[in-house]
PDB file of all heavy atoms in Angstrom:
ATOM      1  N   LEU A   8     -20.098  41.103 -27.366  1.00 45.00           N
ATOM      2  CA  LEU A   8     -19.489  40.154 -28.279  1.00 45.00           C
ATOM      3  C   LEU A   8     -18.432  40.844 -29.115  1.00 45.00           C
ATOM      4  O   LEU A   8     -18.532  42.030 -29.401  1.00 45.00           O
ATOM      5  CB  LEU A   8     -20.549  39.566 -29.212  1.00 45.00           C
ATOM      6  CG  LEU A   8     -21.617  38.745 -28.506  1.00 45.00           C
ATOM      7  CD1 LEU A   8     -22.702  38.385 -29.498  1.00 45.00           C
ATOM      8  CD2 LEU A   8     -21.010  37.518 -27.870  1.00 45.00           C
ATOM      9  N   PRO A   9     -17.401  40.145 -29.504  1.00 47.00           N
ATOM     10  CA  PRO A   9     -16.401  40.743 -30.382  1.00 47.00           C
ATOM     11  C   PRO A   9     -17.027  41.144 -31.705  1.00 47.00           C
ATOM     12  O   PRO A   9     -17.920  40.458 -32.199  1.00 47.00           O
ATOM     13  CB  PRO A   9     -15.369  39.632 -30.579  1.00 47.00           C
ATOM     14  CG  PRO A   9     -15.922  38.402 -29.965  1.00 47.00           C
ATOM     15  CD  PRO A   9     -17.144  38.764 -29.183  1.00 47.00           C
ATOM     16  N   ALA A  10     -16.549  42.273 -32.182  1.00 46.00           N
ATOM     17  CA  ALA A  10     -17.097  42.779 -33.431  1.00 46.00           C
ATOM     18  C   ALA A  10     -16.768  41.817 -34.564  1.00 46.00           C
ATOM     19  O   ALA A  10     -15.631  41.431 -34.751  1.00 46.00           O
ATOM     20  CB  ALA A  10     -16.509  44.150 -33.747  1.00 46.00           C
ATOM     21  N   ALA A  11     -17.784  41.418 -35.240  1.00 44.00           N
ATOM     22  CA  ALA A  11     -17.603  40.534 -36.391  1.00 44.00           C
ATOM     23  C   ALA A  11     -18.174  41.269 -37.581  1.00 44.00           C
ATOM     24  O   ALA A  11     -19.359  41.274 -37.814  1.00 44.00           O
ATOM     25  CB  ALA A  11     -18.315  39.207 -36.174  1.00 44.00           C
ATOM     26  N   ALA A  12     -17.338  41.926 -38.249  1.00 41.00           N
ATOM     27  CA  ALA A  12     -17.751  42.824 -39.322  1.00 41.00           C
ATOM     28  C   ALA A  12     -18.723  42.201 -40.310  1.00 41.00           C
ATOM     29  O   ALA A  12     -19.740  42.803 -40.610  1.00 41.00           O
ATOM     30  CB  ALA A  12     -16.516  43.354 -40.034  1.00 41.00           C
ATOM     31  N   PRO A  13     -18.482  41.007 -40.780  1.00 43.00           N
ATOM     32  CA  PRO A  13     -19.413  40.474 -41.770  1.00 43.00           C
ATOM     33  C   PRO A  13     -20.816  40.300 -41.204  1.00 43.00           C
ATOM     34  O   PRO A  13     -21.783  40.513 -41.889  1.00 43.00           O
ATOM     35  CB  PRO A  13     -18.807  39.124 -42.162  1.00 43.00           C
ATOM     36  CG  PRO A  13     -17.367  39.238 -41.793  1.00 43.00           C
ATOM     37  CD  PRO A  13     -17.327  40.160 -40.616  1.00 43.00           C
ATOM     38  N   LEU A  14     -20.945  39.944 -39.917  1.00 42.00           N
ATOM     39  CA  LEU A  14     -22.269  39.739 -39.350  1.00 42.00           C
ATOM     40  C   LEU A  14     -22.950  41.073 -39.059  1.00 42.00           C
ATOM     41  O   LEU A  14     -24.143  41.210 -39.214  1.00 42.00           O
ATOM     42  CB  LEU A  14     -22.168  38.921 -38.069  1.00 42.00           C
ATOM     43  CG  LEU A  14     -21.702  37.481 -38.260  1.00 42.00           C
ATOM     44  CD1 LEU A  14     -21.568  36.799 -36.913  1.00 42.00           C
ATOM     45  CD2 LEU A  14     -22.658  36.725 -39.160  1.00 42.00           C
ATOM     46  N   ASP A  15     -22.179  42.087 -38.591  1.00 44.00           N
ATOM     47  CA  ASP A  15     -22.765  43.376 -38.256  1.00 44.00           C
ATOM     48  C   ASP A  15     -23.125  44.180 -39.506  1.00 44.00           C
ATOM     49  O   ASP A  15     -23.900  45.118 -39.425  1.00 44.00           O
ATOM     50  CB  ASP A  15     -21.796  44.187 -37.391  1.00 44.00           C
ATOM     51  CG  ASP A  15     -21.688  43.569 -36.007  1.00 44.00           C
ATOM     52  OD1 ASP A  15     -22.595  42.806 -35.620  1.00 44.00           O
ATOM     53  OD2 ASP A  15     -20.681  43.855 -35.342  1.00 44.00           O
ATOM     54  N   SER A  16     -22.547  43.842 -40.599  1.00 42.00           N
ATOM     55  CA  SER A  16     -22.760  44.662 -41.788  1.00 42.00           C
ATOM     56  C   SER A  16     -24.057  44.318 -42.499  1.00 42.00           C
ATOM     57  O   SER A  16     -24.421  44.988 -43.432  1.00 42.00           O
ATOM     58  CB  SER A  16     -21.582  44.482 -42.759  1.00 42.00           C
ATOM     59  OG  SER A  16     -21.551  43.147 -43.205  1.00 42.00           O
ATOM     60  N   HIS A  17     -24.747  43.334 -42.061  1.00 43.00           N
ATOM     61  CA  HIS A  17     -26.051  43.065 -42.688  1.00 43.00           C
ATOM     62  C   HIS A  17     -27.100  42.901 -41.614  1.00 43.00           C
ATOM     63  O   HIS A  17     -26.801  42.909 -40.431  1.00 43.00           O
ATOM     64  CB  HIS A  17     -25.970  41.855 -43.636  1.00 43.00           C
ATOM     65  CG  HIS A  17     -25.623  40.577 -42.947  1.00 43.00           C
ATOM     66  ND1 HIS A  17     -26.556  39.811 -42.328  1.00 43.00           N
ATOM     67  CD2 HIS A  17     -24.436  39.946 -42.784  1.00 43.00           C
ATOM     68  CE1 HIS A  17     -25.965  38.751 -41.810  1.00 43.00           C
ATOM     69  NE2 HIS A  17     -24.673  38.822 -42.078  1.00 43.00           N
ATOM     70  N   THR A  18     -28.332  42.779 -41.982  1.00 45.00           N
ATOM     71  CA  THR A  18     -29.447  42.804 -41.040  1.00 45.00           C
ATOM     72  C   THR A  18     -30.095  41.435 -40.873  1.00 45.00           C
ATOM     73  O   THR A  18     -31.264  41.325 -40.602  1.00 45.00           O
ATOM     74  CB  THR A  18     -30.510  43.801 -41.526  1.00 45.00           C
ATOM     75  OG1 THR A  18     -30.917  43.376 -42.822  1.00 45.00           O
ATOM     76  CG2 THR A  18     -29.955  45.198 -41.556  1.00 45.00           C
ATOM     77  N   CYS A  19     -29.312  40.446 -40.979  1.00 42.00           N
ATOM     78  CA  CYS A  19     -29.850  39.091 -40.858  1.00 42.00           C
ATOM     79  C   CYS A  19     -30.145  38.772 -39.399  1.00 42.00           C
ATOM     80  O   CYS A  19     -29.241  38.689 -38.573  1.00 42.00           O
ATOM     81  CB  CYS A  19     -28.843  38.095 -41.433  1.00 42.00           C
ATOM     82  SG  CYS A  19     -29.364  36.398 -41.187  1.00 42.00           S
ATOM     83  N   ASP A  20     -31.417  38.648 -39.029  1.00 49.00           N
ATOM     84  CA  ASP A  20     -31.770  38.298 -37.643  1.00 49.00           C
ATOM     85  C   ASP A  20     -31.272  36.900 -37.291  1.00 49.00           C
ATOM     86  O   ASP A  20     -30.909  36.626 -36.160  1.00 49.00           O
ATOM     87  CB  ASP A  20     -33.296  38.353 -37.464  1.00 49.00           C
ATOM     88  CG  ASP A  20     -33.780  39.797 -37.481  1.00 49.00           C
ATOM     89  OD1 ASP A  20     -32.941  40.697 -37.220  1.00 49.00           O
ATOM     90  OD2 ASP A  20     -34.965  40.004 -37.742  1.00 49.00           O
ATOM     91  N   GLY A  21     -31.245  36.044 -38.269  1.00 47.00           N
ATOM     92  CA  GLY A  21     -30.765  34.682 -38.041  1.00 47.00           C
ATOM     93  C   GLY A  21     -29.312  34.674 -37.625  1.00 47.00           C
ATOM     94  O   GLY A  21     -28.892  33.863 -36.817  1.00 47.00           O
ATOM     95  N   CYS A  22     -28.511  35.636 -38.153  1.00 42.00           N
ATOM     96  CA  CYS A  22     -27.100  35.704 -37.783  1.00 42.00           C
ATOM     97  C   CYS A  22     -26.953  36.059 -36.322  1.00 42.00           C
ATOM     98  O   CYS A  22     -26.127  35.512 -35.624  1.00 42.00           O
ATOM     99  CB  CYS A  22     -26.384  36.736 -38.642  1.00 42.00           C
ATOM    100  SG  CYS A  22     -26.281  36.244 -40.357  1.00 42.00           S
ATOM    101  N   LEU A  23     -27.749  36.999 -35.830  1.00 43.00           N
ATOM    102  CA  LEU A  23     -27.679  37.360 -34.420  1.00 43.00           C
ATOM    103  C   LEU A  23     -28.084  36.181 -33.554  1.00 43.00           C
ATOM    104  O   LEU A  23     -27.471  35.913 -32.537  1.00 43.00           O
ATOM    105  CB  LEU A  23     -28.584  38.565 -34.157  1.00 43.00           C
ATOM    106  CG  LEU A  23     -28.099  39.869 -34.797  1.00 43.00           C
ATOM    107  CD1 LEU A  23     -29.138  40.959 -34.551  1.00 43.00           C
ATOM    108  CD2 LEU A  23     -26.758  40.282 -34.249  1.00 43.00           C
ATOM    109  N   GLU A  24     -29.083  35.483 -33.956  1.00 47.00           N
ATOM    110  CA  GLU A  24     -29.501  34.322 -33.181  1.00 47.00           C
ATOM    111  C   GLU A  24     -28.380  33.282 -33.157  1.00 47.00           C
ATOM    112  O   GLU A  24     -28.103  32.687 -32.139  1.00 47.00           O
ATOM    113  CB  GLU A  24     -30.767  33.710 -33.770  1.00 47.00           C
ATOM    114  CG  GLU A  24     -31.989  34.567 -33.542  1.00 47.00           C
ATOM    115  CD  GLU A  24     -33.220  34.022 -34.232  1.00 47.00           C
ATOM    116  OE1 GLU A  24     -33.163  32.860 -34.683  1.00 47.00           O
ATOM    117  OE2 GLU A  24     -34.206  34.754 -34.308  1.00 47.00           O
TER     118      GLU A  24
END
Side-chain angles (χ1 to χ4, degrees):
L8 296 172
L14 293 177
D15 290 340
S16 64
H17 63 84
T18 58
C19 175
D20 288 339
C22 292
L23 292 176
E24 289 175 12

